[in-house]
Amino acid sequence: VQDSYTRIKPGISEFKVTGGVRATYWDLNNEFNISPRLQVMYKPLRGKDIAYRFATGLYQQPAFYREMRRIDGTVNTDISAQKSFHVVGGMSMDFGPDVRGKKKFRMIAEAYYKKLWDLVRYDINNVRIRYSGENDATGYVVGLDLRMNGEFVPGAESWINIGFAQARESLDGIQHLKRDIGESEATEVNTVPRPTNQIANVNIFFQDYIPGNENFKVHLNLAFATGLPFGVPDNNIVYRNTYRYTPYRRVDIGFSALLWDRSWQQRKPKHFLRFSRSSWISLEVFNLLGIRNEADKTWVKAVNNQQFAISNFLTARRLNVRWRFEF
């Protein structure tokens, strides 16, 4: 159930409130959940084109089968929904009018905090996710997202995204310890990194075209992210997710050419692509610099029972040709 209330003072401000509630009942474990939500938006109608937003709510997600299955293969039908309380605040601003009188750029900033409980612990091994099958953890996520997008050249949108986040958890009944490389003694810690604890990530996408000819475009994509945490398999409990993969880095480049547009029909009435509205062909080079980004670790155990981590890497350089039709 959801409803909205909007109040507009012409030339002064716009105020909008959206409230709602979602209820679920699961007869597998007889759990009844109520999740209220609230969103508030305030936009001054004078001066800068800016809007402020605030949202909060309680979210409860019943488990899927994989989350119910324990490590030994048994299924926990008494598992509770994973729960989180969210607080999100942000703003958006349009600025920089272009020659057409429209706003040229938009900037979005958003900060959030999420309190998590009744979590189901999980570990990631390459593309395989192993759940504990129990509500055995609590945690939190806090972060900041920044985005700016717009048309540096008319008709070709570009953007930059910057994100900072910290995702931490604590396993029930466990006193977590931390010991950095080279240290002989461990220190007690209250929380440890979650598998998704990626501290920072940056993505830049830029498009341009040949001056005077918008039918030939080029785009450049740059990505950087700090490495995700990981731990020793089958022993990732007390010293949990104490290591990190190397940072992720990638540069992509692509070239696109417009083969057909319906506006050409009069001067090219017999074009072989006239059955479509438009058609583009593109050539993309993924991971242009051939950077070796880590995907996961293969653990090898020696005769003295000591384990060694061997890196596995993602695909190096890759070419992709795409032919796209729009009807």
Side-chain angles (χ1 to χ4, degrees), residues 123-135:
D123 296 309
I124 300 176
N125 182 11
N126 199 349
V127 295
R128 185 185 188 190
I129 301 177
R130 295 298 303 273
Y131 294 92
S132 67
E134 304 285 350
N135 299 111

Side-chain angles (χ1 to χ4, degrees), residues 310-321:
I310 309 300
S311 296
N312 299 316
F313 297 96
L314 297 170
T315 304
R317 187 180 294 108
R318 179 183 175 189
L319 296 176
N320 182 62
V321 177

